[in-house]
Amino acid sequence: MQRRDFLSSALALAAASTLPAARAEVISGGQPWEPGKANVPSLPAPRQGGLAFFTQAEFDAAGALADRLIPADALSIGGKEAGCAVFIDRQLAGDYGKGATLYRLGRFVKGTPEQGTQSPLTPADRWRQGLAALDNHCHKTFSTPYAQLDGARQDDLLRQMESGKLALELGPDLEVKELFEQILANVREGFFADPLYGGNKGMASWKMIGFPGARYDFRDVIAKKGQKLSIIPTSLIDNTL
Amino acid sequence: MANVRPKADAVIVGLGWCGSLMAEELTRAGLNVVAIERGPWFETSTDFPPSVDTDELRWDTRRSMLLPPAIETTTFRNNRSQTALPTRDWSLNELGYNVGGSGTHWAGMAWRFLPFDFEPYSFTLKRYGKQQITEGLIVQDWGVSYDDLEPFYERFEKIAGVSGKAGVLNGQKIDGANIFEGNRKSEFPLPPLATTRLTDLFTDGSKKLGLHPFMVPAGQASQAYTNPLGVRMGPCTYCGYCLYYGCGNFSKSSPNACVIPALMQRSNFTVLTESAVLRATLAEDGKTATGVTYLDRNKKEWEQPADIVIFSAFQMQNVRLLLLSKIGKPYNPETREGVVGRAYSFQTVSGANLFFEDEQLNQYIGAGALSAQVDDYNGDNFDHTGKGFIGGAGILVVARGARPIGNADAVPPGTPRWGSEWKKAYTHAFQNGTFIFNQGTSFSHDECYLDLDPEYKDANGDPLIRVTFDYNENDRRMARFTEDRAVEIGKAMGAKIVNGFDSAAVNYGPYLPASDHTIGGAVMGLDPKTSVLNRYQQSWDVHNVFVLGASSFPNNAGYNPTSTIGALSLWTAKAIIDQYLGKRGPLVEVPA
């Protein structure tokens, strides 16, 4: 959750301008102006070793899952090489992973499908529980972690998770279908979000579908209706890619 | 109660479109106005320059500009036999959380409602008779007509810099524009936005069916513009970052771009940000409000005394503020008595998903309101005899800017959701997939209402709003009828695959795709037994409380609500300035 720090800004304003700032949140007599500030997104700092949330084993499993959900083929590099696991690792370490925006008060009671999830788990909890249960299952059944299985077997397990048939030993607050949806959503985000967040290496996904990325003005091409525009995409972080 | 701020002539709760328009009018009339906004200050240059704005993950997927459910959400159930549970994640309820409110992140569709939408009871009775109204349906006139509001719509469109073309101008119907709209006294302030391949396909296809397509009025400036408040807007660049985003070009109509720059120059205006109003405080006799109680960012409680209290928060928050302030009689669904929370409804959405064979739709180019629509099946624009319902839908395509994360499931039915086959299908669908959206009317029902949840509370310990809602038979019939029309148009557009959809074919749920235009619960009307507010959006019970927003709508139109809430806010501002300041009492006598 990003909230602007008005205390410091209002004090700075009071010193630098004629804008009255009797209290932090009281604004009158003109539009406040904060020199030297841009509201850029926060990114969690990696721990020593390069990871921000995952263990190495979790990171390997996430990369393997990403590589099956988004396999390398003629259209693009795979999800692992695109950095989906790096993206997910950073997301889970931050506000998103902690469920900072989720309503988590009151009793957690199972409801109707329309009422949506009533689980106390955060996205980070789901990944941690889910990957542990998946590797557990793979060790028991195949004597190897998920990341070491061959592609066909990995795909088969994903299909069983998607249909809700895979019997993973999950806690009472997580269903296997929910786990699959969590994984799929975050892998897709890692593939398609701006490279700023650690995935979408070389804007691979944008090149694949023909999305121009952080472009902000199409007045030069809007009249070229129905034509292939082949715009080279731009990113918020690195345009040498 | 140690913390008391200096008394204001008026306090405004929520600084979105309604609050900022009201503040502009009242400060210009010389009143000393304090607005209290729950979210932080947002500034174009700091918060949404082009290099910050173009971030789908942050603003769209993670909804970074909306009120987080962690702070306040609603509980929900389909009917009274169920126990309502909290909506814990982002849902259809998209509440603003910044100076500018929802008006900062909206798409920009700037509609006038039809004359029918304000007087559905009178129109229906006259054309079809009472038997057209299904059991339990709430159909009542608003107490204000389209003609009453016309000058205020015009004022709103000029302040917001709306781009469009008049379809009915001083009684003349104009081909190629919306010939079904209410009569306009003047042309739009700006010409329509550019068209795209998608809007061309829709226009050609619907014309083949004998329909009347037109470009939707847009809150995006098609040219550089200076509004009547002296605020300048830049031309839209068709970047497609509108809905869920701010605008880095000063092009999208918003309180931030169009009103607040003028407002902040006034010495008789103050805004308190990051401050959450808990309730209005009432005088001992309960007949007037003395001000509001709020929490500042440090959770310190304050009183803001004021002679006039304006609730202009989000629709559901207005209802909640009334209930928490004990203003008006809460609705009781068993006795059907009481009014606060009554007549809650939504919109009834159907349409069709389309997939072309070999198109280049380039849908990342667009604007939030860059759309083509037909109104032939909206409101009462067609004969409902024998159809068993009233109302209809605006049927449209939206070139609002396709985004890669958000579109990832927009692939032909039967496509796997991952793997190489999905990649191939999605790459094709990104240029060839689109949809027709029927934004349908909703009428409320005796069994659909808002009240305070008996169990779940917000972060401050106050009860959440409880939503009891499902689609009613009238609206379900309408959605089925218009779904078939969307399928016809999709086929006429030449799509290879045309798949109808109907949100009202299943139970309502806050996570299922539909619109986000929730309405009612504190409705305006002619009779205090069936409305919370009189025709000036003034509380029948506490005369110095006025409530602005879609909470005032007894029924929803087949359009986006913003211009109507804007026009109603300006209408109420005029009533306050011209009538209330001299009278300080009810502006409408309670009918005997």
Side-chain angles (χ1 to χ4, degrees):
Chain A
M1 231 179 304
Q2 299 270 320
R3 301 200 71 189
R4 297 278 300 287
D5 188 348
F6 246 103
L7 186 62
S8 57
S9 63
L11 289 174
L13 280 164
S17 76
T18 54
L19 184 74
R23 285 180 34 77
E25 309 92 339
V26 180
I27 306 170
S28 66
Q31 279 180 270
W33 189 257
E34 295 177 276
K37 290 231 173 154
N39 186 1
V40 296
S42 59
L43 300 171
R47 296 187 311 258
Q48 206 168 5
L51 292 172
F53 172 80
F54 281 143
T55 63
Q56 188 59 47
E58 289 169 336
F59 181 78
D60 293 344
L65 286 162
D67 234 20
R68 298 319 302 168
L69 295 172
I70 300 172
D73 56 22
L75 288 172
S76 78
I77 54 173
K80 186 175 169 182
E81 192 187 341
C84 291
V86 175
F87 167 91
I88 295 165
D89 175 60
R90 292 180 188 172
Q91 288 292 306
L92 297 182
D95 280 347
Y96 170 74
K98 291 171 189 150
T101 62
L102 301 176
Y103 180 80
R104 301 181 71 217
L105 301 172
R107 291 186 306 141
F108 291 89
V109 183
K110 274 211 172 20
T112 66
E114 291 81 7
Q115 289 172 320
T117 181
Q118 296 294 326
S119 160
L121 300 185
T122 64
D125 295 335
R126 285 205 185 96
W127 274 93
R128 186 138 278 163
Q129 284 192 16
L131 290 182
L134 181 62
D135 261 358
N136 219 347
H137 176 85
C138 293
H139 276 293
K140 269 192 201 159
T141 318
F142 311 108
S143 308
T144 171
Y146 180 84
Q148 304 293 322
L149 294 172
D150 64 55
R153 204 154 258 176
Q154 287 175 330
D155 280 358
D156 185 50
L157 286 169
L158 274 170
R159 272 190 289 271
Q160 288 183 55
M161 286 169 73
E162 185 176 17
S163 63
K165 284 182 192 142
L166 189 65
L168 292 184
E169 284 176 35
L170 297 163
D173 298 313
L174 185 57
E175 286 168 19
V176 71
K177 264 178 112 154
E178 278 181 319
L179 173 64
F180 175 83
E181 293 300 331
Q182 180 77 49
I183 291 169
L184 179 64
N186 294 152
V187 166
R188 281 175 171 180
E189 288 164 7
F191 191 53
F192 288 117
D194 194 282
L196 172 68
Y197 295 99
N200 194 7
K201 186 182 167 194
M203 297 180 278
S205 68
W206 295 352
K207 288 171 184 164
M208 175 179 97
I209 59 171
F211 178 67
R215 278 277 303 260
Y216 213 64
D217 191 345
F218 294 113
R219 284 173 295 180
D220 55 340
V221 290
I222 190 164
K224 295 183 177 177
K225 295 176 186 177
Q227 295 178 33
K228 195 170 168 67
L229 298 177
S230 304
I231 296 170
I232 298 165
T234 52
S235 143
L236 294 173
I237 185 79
D238 186 353
N239 288 310
T240 64
L241 297 168
Chain B
M1 229 33 81
N3 308 299
V4 182
R5 279 186 44 86
K7 188 174 176 182
D9 294 326
V11 62
I12 290 177
V13 181
L15 195 60
W17 272 120
C18 297
S20 61
L21 290 167
M22 177 60 75
E24 195 282 318
E25 292 280 338
L26 297 185
T27 51
R28 193 150 40 81
L31 270 64
N32 189 13
V33 175
V34 174
I36 305 181
E37 166 56 45
R38 197 166 186 174
W41 181 269
F42 263 15
E43 185 70 46
T44 302
S45 313
T46 310
D47 294 290
F48 13 89
S51 56
V52 168
D53 206 38
T54 47
D55 186 343
E56 183 190 15
L57 181 78
R58 182 183 187 190
W59 300 113
D60 185 336
T61 318
R62 302 277 185 260
R63 303 283 201 265
S64 293
M65 214 185 288
L66 304 190
L67 175 71
I71 293 175
E72 183 188 332
T73 185
T74 53
T75 67
F76 160 74
R77 57 182 180 174
N78 277 119
N79 58 63
R80 281 198 277 151
S81 74
Q82 298 175 342
T83 303
L85 293 175
T87 300
R88 295 185 180 276
D89 205 347
W90 301 113
S91 72
L92 293 173
N93 302 319
E94 296 174 339
L95 284 65
Y97 190 48
N98 52 271
V99 169
S102 304
T104 311
H105 71 247
W106 73 313
M109 297 211 174
W111 293 103
R112 297 181 178 199
F113 284 8
L114 295 166
F116 164 81
D117 297 319
F118 298 100
E119 299 171 270
Y121 184 74
S122 299
F123 274 60
T124 301
L125 216 61
K126 195 172 159 201
R127 189 165 177 184
Y128 309 106
K130 209 166 181 177
Q131 79 284 351
Q132 191 79 11
I133 300 173
T134 55
E135 169 97 39
L137 203 68
I138 295 176
V139 184
Q140 61 189 58
D141 295 347
W142 297 30
V144 61
S145 69
Y146 172 84
D147 288 337
D148 290 333
L149 280 186
E150 203 283 336
F152 301 91
Y153 270 128
E154 181 184 337
R155 173 82 180 164
F156 177 80
E157 287 163 356
K158 289 190 168 148
I159 290 172
V162 176
S163 302
K165 183 162 167 46
V168 183
L169 187 57
N170 295 311
Q172 291 291 110
K173 289 190 178 183
I174 296 161
D175 276 348
N178 185 11
I179 56 164
F180 296 103
E181 72 174 345
N183 186 46
R184 306 172 57 93
K185 300 257 174 70
S186 69
E187 185 49 274
F188 282 94
L190 287 166
L193 295 173
T195 53
T196 71
R197 177 70 180 153
L198 175 64
T199 61
D200 286 356
L201 286 168
F202 180 87
T203 300
D204 294 346
S206 53
K207 271 187 189 160
K208 276 187 223 158
L209 298 172
L211 304 175
H212 300 85
F214 59 92
M215 293 302 286
V216 168
Q220 279 91 18
S222 57
Q223 299 171 359
Y225 178 68
T226 303
N227 80 7
L229 306 177
V231 184
R232 283 183 289 279
M233 298 175 74
C236 175
T237 59
Y238 302 97
C239 73
Y241 291 94
C242 284
L243 179 60
Y244 301 121
Y245 304 86
C247 178
N249 284 327
F250 305 92
S251 318
K252 183 169 82 173
S253 312
S254 69
N256 314 66
C258 303
V259 184
I260 289 166
L263 194 52
M264 292 310 294
Q265 305 305 319
R266 309 238 168 102
S267 59
N268 52 345
F269 178 72
T270 298
V271 54
L272 315 178
T273 62
E274 300 182 54
S275 298
V277 171
L278 302 175
R279 70 194 82 88
T281 46
L282 299 186
E284 262 180 37
D285 64 2
K287 297 233 164 81
T288 54
T290 56
V292 298
T293 302
Y294 73 93
L295 294 180
D296 70 13
R297 65 184 305 187
N298 301 314
K299 305 275 178 200
K300 198 153 99 181
E301 195 167 309
W302 288 77
E303 296 279 312
Q304 173 61 62
D307 288 330
I308 299 172
V309 173
I310 312 274
F311 287 160
S312 52
F314 191 80
Q315 172 259 337
M316 290 173 173
Q317 291 173 317
N318 281 343
V319 177
R320 186 166 179 256
L321 284 165
L322 288 168
L323 290 168
L324 292 173
S325 309
K326 300 194 186 333
I327 296 172
K329 191 175 172 189
Y331 178 62
N332 180 337
E334 288 186 19
T335 62
R336 312 287 201 230
E337 285 171 357
V339 285
V340 182
R342 176 181 173 272
Y344 169 76
S345 80
F346 185 56
Q347 272 183 326
T348 319
V349 168
S350 59
N353 291 315
L354 315 182
F355 297 94
F356 291 88
E357 185 126 43
D358 189 21
E359 271 295 341
Q360 285 287 328
L361 294 175
N362 295 331
Q363 290 179 102
Y364 48 81
I365 300 174
L370 206 175
S371 293
Q373 172 153 324
V374 292
D375 261 355
D376 299 67
Y377 301 108
N378 207 348
D380 198 33
N381 297 344
F382 58 106
D383 187 0
H384 290 66
T385 306
K387 291 197 162 53
F389 68 86
I390 57 171
I395 301 179
L396 71 159
V397 289
V398 285
R400 69 166 43 141
R403 293 289 168 267
I405 301 171
N407 271 41
D409 271 323
V411 288
T415 308
R417 295 176 67 212
W418 49 278
S420 280
E421 215 180 311
W422 166 76
K423 285 175 67 180
K424 198 175 150 201
Y426 184 34
T427 299
H428 186 259
F430 197 69
Q431 281 297 354
N432 289 278
T434 191
F435 58 95
I436 296 174
F437 187 84
N438 302 344
Q439 181 167 220
T441 54
S442 271
F443 291 87
S444 190
H445 190 275
D446 287 341
E447 289 290 330
C448 298
Y449 64 100
L450 305 175
D451 64 354
L452 293 175
D453 192 89
E455 177 172 349
Y456 290 96
K457 313 246 188 283
D458 72 2
N460 298 326
D462 282 320
L464 298 178
I465 275 284
R466 175 170 66 177
V467 178
T468 304
F469 182 79
D470 210 341
Y471 298 107
N472 60 61
E473 192 50 35
N474 178 81
D475 294 349
R476 288 191 151 139
R477 288 174 188 161
M478 183 282 298
R480 279 197 294 272
F481 173 80
T482 49
E483 178 190 353
D484 293 344
R485 306 290 80 77
V487 168
E488 288 165 4
I489 296 170
K491 287 179 179 162
M493 287 168 69
K496 186 183 167 202
I497 303 171
V498 180
N499 278 327
F501 64 84
D502 177 2
S503 301
V506 294
N507 296 336
Y508 166 83
Y511 298 105
L512 299 173
S515 89
D516 59 331
H517 304 136
T518 61
I519 63 134
V523 310
M524 59 195 299
L526 296 161
D527 182 349
K529 288 199 190 68
T530 55
S531 57
V532 175
L533 313 171
N534 66 24
R535 68 192 300 254
Y536 298 109
Q537 300 187 96
Q538 178 186 35
S539 163
W540 287 109
D541 300 277
V542 181
H543 65 72
N544 64 340
V545 171
F546 295 80
V547 186
L548 313 178
S551 45
S552 299
F553 299 1
N555 52 278
N556 210 351
Y559 299 113
N560 309 61
T562 296
S563 297
T564 301
I565 65 169
L568 281 170
S569 299
L570 294 167
W571 153 266
T572 293
K574 186 171 167 57
I576 291 174
I577 293 162
D578 291 355
Q579 300 179 58
Y580 185 75
L581 293 180
K583 190 171 183 188
R584 304 283 174 173
L587 299 180
V588 178
E589 291 292 316
V590 177

